[in-house]
Amino acid sequence: MDNDQDVLEILQEVFIYEGYEVKALQGTNNIFNEIAVCKPHVIMLDYILDGVNGGEICHQIKNNPLTCNLPVIIVSAYPKVINSLGYYGCDKFIPKPFDIYDLVNQVNQLIIPDNKPV
C-alpha cells in the first residue's frame, strides 16, 4: 500500500516478474476486508499514507488475532521518525530509497517458499 501510484506500479511490476500475485492499493478504509478477500502472504506498507499512517495500520494488523501472524513490511523515507516512534510491530523496516533487489530479498525471507504464489 502506497499513496504514490508510480511507486505502486513499479513494485507491482517487479513482484509480478518475480512470480508473485500482487494487489496494489493506494489506500483503504478497511484493510481487514482486503486481507479477507485477498489472503496475502505479506503486506508492504508505506509509512506516509493519506489518512491513517502505515504504522497504525501495521499496529491494527498485528493486534488482530486473525491477522497477527501476517508478515508486515513498512517502507519509509523517514527512518528517523520510525526509529523514534517504534516499528509498530512490523516484521521488517526498509528505508527509502531502497534497492529493489534487497526489497525482493526481504520479502522472500518472510514468505515460506511453499506458500509463494506462482
Side-chain angles (χ1 to χ4, degrees):
M1 184 180 318
D2 199 304
N3 59 357
D4 184 329
Q5 186 64 35
D6 293 334
V7 171
L8 284 176
E9 288 174 9
I10 291 168
L11 290 175
Q12 188 170 13
E13 287 181 32
V14 166
F15 283 101
I16 288 172
Y17 178 81
E18 291 293 324
Y20 288 95
E21 293 178 26
V22 177
K23 171 83 180 217
L25 304 170
Q26 277 192 288
T28 182
N29 292 333
N30 193 342
I31 189 67
F32 293 102
N33 283 344
E34 295 291 341
I35 291 170
V37 170
C38 297
K39 299 182 182 4
H41 292 103
V42 66
I43 293 180
M44 187 179 314
L45 300 167
D46 189 5
Y47 180 74
I48 301 295
L49 296 170
D50 296 331
V52 66
N53 70 52
E56 290 300 320
I57 293 172
C58 176
H59 181 74
Q60 292 172 13
I61 292 168
K62 292 300 189 176
N63 284 316
N64 184 315
L66 299 175
T67 59
C68 63
N69 293 320
L70 183 59
V72 176
I73 298 171
I74 294 178
V75 294
S76 178
Y78 305 98
K80 290 181 181 177
V81 172
I82 299 292
N83 286 334
S84 68
L85 296 175
Y87 290 94
Y88 298 93
C90 68
D91 297 277
K92 299 266 184 190
F93 171 77
I94 300 173
K96 288 181 179 179
F98 47 77
D99 178 90
I100 202 71
Y101 299 107
D102 181 52
L103 182 65
V104 170
N105 185 44
Q106 297 293 328
V107 169
N108 287 335
Q109 288 177 13
L110 289 174
I111 297 178
I112 299 168
D114 291 344
N115 289 338
K116 181 179 174 185
V118 182

